[in-house]
Amino acid sequence: MKAAIIVPAFNEEATIKMVIDELKKQKIWGLKKEIVVINDGSVDSTAKIAHRENATVISHVINRGLGAALSTGLKYVKKNKFDIAITFDADGQHKAKDLERLIKPILKNKADIVIGARQFNKEGMPIDRKIINTFANIITYILFNVLVSDSQSGLRAFSNKAIQLIEIRTNRMEVSSELLRQAKVKKLKVKEIPISAIYTNYSKIKGQKNINAINILMKMLIYKFNKN
Amino acid sequence: MIITKLLISVFVLFAISRLVMRFREGKVSNTGLVGWLLIWFTVETIILVPRVTSDIAQFLGIGRGADLIIYSSIIILFYLIFRIFISLEDIEREVTKIVQRDALKNVKKGKRKR
């Protein structure tokens, strides 16, 4: 079995080396793994560093957003017949040691999509993020009827079945909710496992801007009522 | 006032003639033709019999004909913005497809196998 770790990256030269290093060192149940950095139109040396670090690099000529980057990654994974795909943020907020626990439900055939849910404790998540995340979860539930505790998490794993069935259509940050919607429509089993997230100032700046929540809501509404 | 009515009527006639021409060329669909004809006939009616707006406004409980026009304009504008939003999304998706096709053609593999 082989697993692909998709790392969408947009101007992440400060952290990409550290993230790849950590992923390279991490064993995942003895699976063969490939680190696939999706360089989403970065203007810094993200792609160069990733290539030097021996990762597979797929570059978008212009920035197309998180959704597009993940979609490119999943297309690569599908084409190259990987058994498992993992998405991992490039800003250093995830810990590679969570990966084994993350894909365990897939290996045991208990889930098609596993979401690494960041913990809602004091150290886990800043208060503003907590509020927006709760709001996002409620909206995701109302619109798509999928209830998860962290609908916006960037750490996810997909089984081969999910890789084959999921088709991402959204370009930007609203992809997190789009994935859950697709899971629902295509009857994929979704499971959450708790993970630790490291909120540094860097990841806060690089992550979703709070104001972006309104934009995501607007697009989710449009997808809900416009597309199937 | 008469001159304005005349000018706008001429313009409406011109627009309708262009519309029919485009329809004959097959560039406007049946629904498109009916929709646009309705719009232009409404404009012409309002120009020739402005009282109509007041009557409809009264009927709808809005009060003044001018208010009715403003309200319906806002609704139409919102609808158009929504349409533009949707078509922009479509264009964005098309751009992404092109970018992805290019990206997947130029995959740079890592040097060593792990």
Side-chain angles (χ1 to χ4, degrees):
Chain A
M1 273 185 124
K2 54 177 186 171
I5 305 172
I6 302 166
V7 185
F10 175 53
N11 294 339
E12 304 278 11
E13 64 179 3
T15 49
I16 193 79
K17 183 180 183 314
M18 180 195 83
V19 170
I20 296 174
D21 275 348
E22 207 189 325
L23 287 172
K24 273 198 285 196
K25 277 183 221 148
Q26 182 64 45
K27 291 246 182 311
I28 317 174
W29 304 114
L31 296 181
K32 219 166 109 184
K33 64 172 190 278
E34 182 172 332
I35 300 164
V36 185
V37 173
I38 312 292
N39 164 39
D40 190 19
S42 302
V43 289
D44 64 3
S45 39
T46 302
K48 220 159 110 191
I49 297 170
H51 188 58
R52 201 172 60 214
E53 290 304 311
N54 214 16
T56 297
V57 181
I58 305 178
S59 290
H60 287 171
V61 280
I62 47 171
N63 180 255
R64 296 309 300 150
L66 179 67
L70 291 181
S71 156
T72 304
L74 285 177
K75 278 184 180 158
Y76 174 79
V77 165
K78 206 169 172 177
K79 201 171 142 195
N80 291 278
K81 301 195 168 58
F82 283 89
D83 304 288
I84 290 176
I86 296 164
T87 64
F88 196 95
D89 283 355
D91 59 7
Q93 70 158 288
H94 301 315
K95 287 181 179 166
K97 69 172 174 58
D98 284 326
L99 290 183
E100 290 205 319
R101 280 194 310 122
L102 186 78
I103 66 164
K104 205 172 170 187
I106 291 178
L107 293 175
K108 289 195 159 177
N109 233 339
K110 285 195 175 140
D112 297 305
I113 298 177
V114 185
I115 295 169
R118 294 163 289 187
Q119 291 309 288
F120 286 69
N121 54 20
K122 260 186 197 150
E123 308 84 55
M125 196 182 276
I127 183 80
D128 54 337
R129 281 298 150 93
K130 226 184 278 184
I131 293 169
I132 286 184
N133 247 303
T134 310
F135 183 67
N137 296 340
I138 293 170
I139 296 289
T140 308
Y141 178 69
I142 293 172
L143 292 182
F144 306 139
N145 211 2
V146 188
L147 187 63
V148 288
S149 67
D150 187 6
S151 60
Q152 306 301 305
S153 171
L155 185 63
R156 317 171 191 88
F158 301 89
S159 70
N160 188 270
K161 185 180 169 194
I163 294 168
Q164 300 303 324
L165 290 178
I166 282 177
E167 273 169 64
I168 299 175
R169 283 191 302 216
T170 45
N171 274 333
R172 310 227 170 243
M173 290 291 194
E174 61 277 11
V175 65
S176 311
S177 313
E178 155 92 355
L179 282 171
L180 290 173
R181 188 183 70 92
Q182 293 237 349
K184 178 87 185 172
V185 173
K186 306 205 161 141
K187 299 193 171 67
L188 297 166
K189 280 178 278 174
V190 179
K191 199 174 157 58
E192 276 190 299
I193 61 139
I195 56 156
S196 35
I198 313 154
Y199 272 95
T200 58
N201 274 336
Y202 179 77
S203 74
K204 264 186 260 176
I205 294 166
K206 291 294 294 189
Q208 297 198 20
K209 303 231 171 7
N210 291 346
I211 190 78
N212 211 2
I214 298 165
N215 196 1
I216 292 178
L217 174 63
M218 172 101 176
K219 289 195 178 168
M220 278 164 69
L221 277 172
I222 285 180
Y223 287 118
K224 168 75 180 172
F225 296 112
N226 203 40
K227 308 268 152 65
N228 289 312
Chain B
M1 203 51 193
I2 301 272
I3 294 175
T4 327
K5 279 186 179 181
L6 196 71
L7 281 178
I8 296 178
S9 297
V10 169
F11 177 75
V12 169
L13 278 178
F14 169 73
I16 290 177
S17 73
R18 297 288 302 180
L19 180 67
V20 172
M21 238 167 72
R22 301 226 123 207
F23 176 69
R24 281 195 185 147
E25 288 167 8
K27 285 178 182 164
V28 174
S29 65
N30 288 350
T31 355
L33 178 77
V34 175
W36 279 109
L37 278 180
L38 266 177
I39 289 175
W40 289 121
F41 280 131
T42 314
V43 171
E44 189 56 30
T45 316
I46 291 171
I47 294 305
L48 294 179
V49 207
R51 254 192 62 82
V52 170
T53 56
S54 301
D55 292 345
I56 300 173
Q58 290 268 305
F59 176 71
L60 293 174
I62 290 171
R64 291 190 313 162
D67 287 346
L68 175 73
I69 292 179
I70 288 171
Y71 291 162
S72 38
S73 305
I74 290 173
I75 292 170
I76 293 168
L77 284 176
F78 264 114
Y79 174 69
L80 286 179
I81 289 173
F82 182 74
R83 288 290 299 266
I84 291 171
F85 196 94
I86 299 266
S87 64
L88 257 183
E89 278 288 298
D90 285 343
I91 294 171
E92 288 250 348
R93 223 170 278 156
E94 295 302 308
V95 173
T96 299
K97 266 191 211 162
I98 299 171
V99 171
Q100 278 181 332
R101 198 168 298 167
D102 169 76
L104 289 166
K105 264 186 206 159
N106 301 300
V107 176
K108 276 189 178 172
K109 288 267 190 183
K111 284 162 227 143
R112 275 180 286 119
K113 282 257 175 231
R114 271 180 304 276

